[in-house]
Amino acid sequence: MTSTNLEYPAPARGTQHRPLLAALWMLGAIFGFSAMAVAGREVQGQLDTFEIMLWRSLLGLIIVDAIALTLRRREELAPRFMGQHLLRNSAHFAGQNLWLYALTLIPLAQLFAVEFSYPIMVALAAPLLLGERLMPVKLLTAAIGFAGILLVARPWGVGGFSPGIIAAFGAALGFAGSAIVTKRLTRKVTTLGILHWLCAIQLGLALVFALWDGQMTWPAPASWLPLVVIGLSGLGAHYCLTTALSLAPASIVTPIDFLRLPLIGVVGMLLYGEPLDIWVFAGGAIIFGANWINLAADARAGRRPVPQVAA
């Protein structure tokens, strides 16, 4: 839910891969993403999604700018390529709000499973928007991923495509659009600069939409802790993920990230009484398989994987 980062960094040439250390960093990322989901659900009902985004973005902006000033890298925050920043963060803002909305409507595991589909959407859109060659394997991964999505959503079931499932798909589309633009930005702007404008632009968007109805709710004392957790766990999770990807290839790190699905399934069962749905896990595994095939194809072609900008 707090997407911030960026292209998968390749381990430096000549450096030894450290998969065990990467796995430890990924445990931090998994914990951070799961903490975000729980905190987001806890604060829902007290604040709307725009108000949650407002406080999350404000906290993120303070942290990122403090880091930039401490490291004397203020020049990286200069307003350059603002059209692309605005396009990226508008897509991400839409996806993030839909993610928060879906969080209250469907089980946590189901939401996470649908979220894992966004790299497949990026793989299909990249030939059109980034000029990449459309390989047959991309069509294969899309077909496999779509089969997994059908298992997760089960439109033939009683609920069909419920509002929660539709919102989750919308969130994945928003994250995919954000990832496409991020891939362009990372060629010209540093990670710190991207993070600064992510928080700054989304803070402005959240303020506008939060005040759209002429009123805004001030967080109650009980809401502050979940809001702080949302902000800190988001930044921390993506820092852990980026560090892990600098220590080992994405083909090693990505399967560890998939452990988020069974973990959040157990969390949902223990905290909210959500059933452990075998079809959600089966569909999630198929979606993961499609992403794995896509990663392997990119590795053979010598390309870096899609940016990680999802919740």
Side-chain angles (χ1 to χ4, degrees):
M1 158 177 98
T2 169
S3 265
T4 42
N5 271 358
L6 305 168
E7 259 191 2
Y8 284 152
R13 217 175 258 183
T15 60
Q16 186 177 5
H17 289 168
R18 305 176 69 183
L20 182 58
L21 186 58
L24 292 175
W25 278 105
M26 279 307 300
L27 292 179
I30 290 168
F31 174 80
F33 288 128
S34 301
M36 276 193 303
V38 173
R41 178 165 285 188
E42 289 299 315
V43 81
Q44 286 280 15
Q46 305 170 45
L47 302 171
D48 63 34
T49 60
F50 301 124
E51 291 164 347
I52 295 172
M53 286 293 293
L54 188 152
W55 295 108
R56 196 225 74 171
S57 300
L58 179 60
L59 179 60
L61 185 64
I62 292 171
I63 294 173
V64 170
D65 285 9
I67 292 173
L69 292 175
T70 301
L71 299 179
R72 298 182 180 180
R73 294 167 59 181
R74 187 176 177 180
E75 68 281 357
E76 297 179 25
L77 311 184
R80 298 181 299 130
F81 309 106
M82 292 307 296
Q84 292 183 46
H85 279 297
L86 185 59
L87 180 61
R88 173 191 186 267
N89 290 302
S90 295
H92 184 267
F93 182 79
Q96 192 74 87
N97 278 281
L98 287 169
W99 194 95
L100 286 167
Y101 178 63
L103 193 62
T104 64
L105 299 176
I106 58 177
L108 294 174
Q110 196 171 33
L111 174 58
F112 274 45
V114 174
E115 180 188 329
F116 277 122
S117 68
Y118 92 89
I120 300 170
M121 300 177 186
V122 174
L124 287 176
L128 295 175
L129 302 178
L130 294 176
E132 296 182 1
R133 185 166 62 91
L134 179 61
M135 298 183 295
V137 69
K138 300 292 184 182
L139 298 176
L140 174 64
T141 59
I144 295 173
F146 182 69
I149 290 170
L150 286 178
L151 273 182
V152 172
R154 294 193 302 284
W156 55 81
V158 176
F161 276 116
S162 66
I165 288 292
I166 294 172
F169 280 132
L173 283 171
F175 294 149
S178 176
I180 290 289
V181 185
T182 300
K183 194 167 186 178
R184 289 184 177 275
L185 272 174
T186 50
R187 300 168 184 167
K188 301 171 283 191
V189 183
T190 66
T191 297
L192 202 60
I194 289 176
L195 292 181
H196 165 80
W197 288 109
L198 176 140
C199 295
I201 291 175
Q202 294 198 14
L203 176 61
L205 290 172
L207 183 61
V208 169
F209 283 96
L211 292 173
W212 192 262
D213 58 359
Q215 60 181 4
M216 187 170 67
T217 304
W218 183 263
S223 300
W224 282 111
L225 180 58
L227 288 173
V228 171
V229 170
I230 289 170
L232 293 181
S233 62
L235 290 176
H238 283 285
Y239 178 80
C240 289
L241 176 62
T242 303
T243 303
L245 288 163
S246 71
L247 295 169
S251 58
I252 293 176
V253 171
T254 300
I256 303 172
D257 187 35
F258 184 73
L259 291 176
R260 275 197 283 151
L261 181 55
L263 174 62
I264 203 65
V266 172
V267 169
M269 179 188 67
L270 294 177
L271 295 184
Y272 305 109
E274 297 175 354
L276 292 176
D277 189 339
I278 185 61
W279 294 111
V280 170
F281 289 97
I286 291 173
I287 293 169
F288 163 73
N291 284 325
W292 179 270
I293 295 171
N294 191 40
L295 276 173
D298 281 341
R300 286 194 298 269
R303 290 197 299 269
R304 297 171 75 181
V306 296
Q308 173 69 26
V309 292

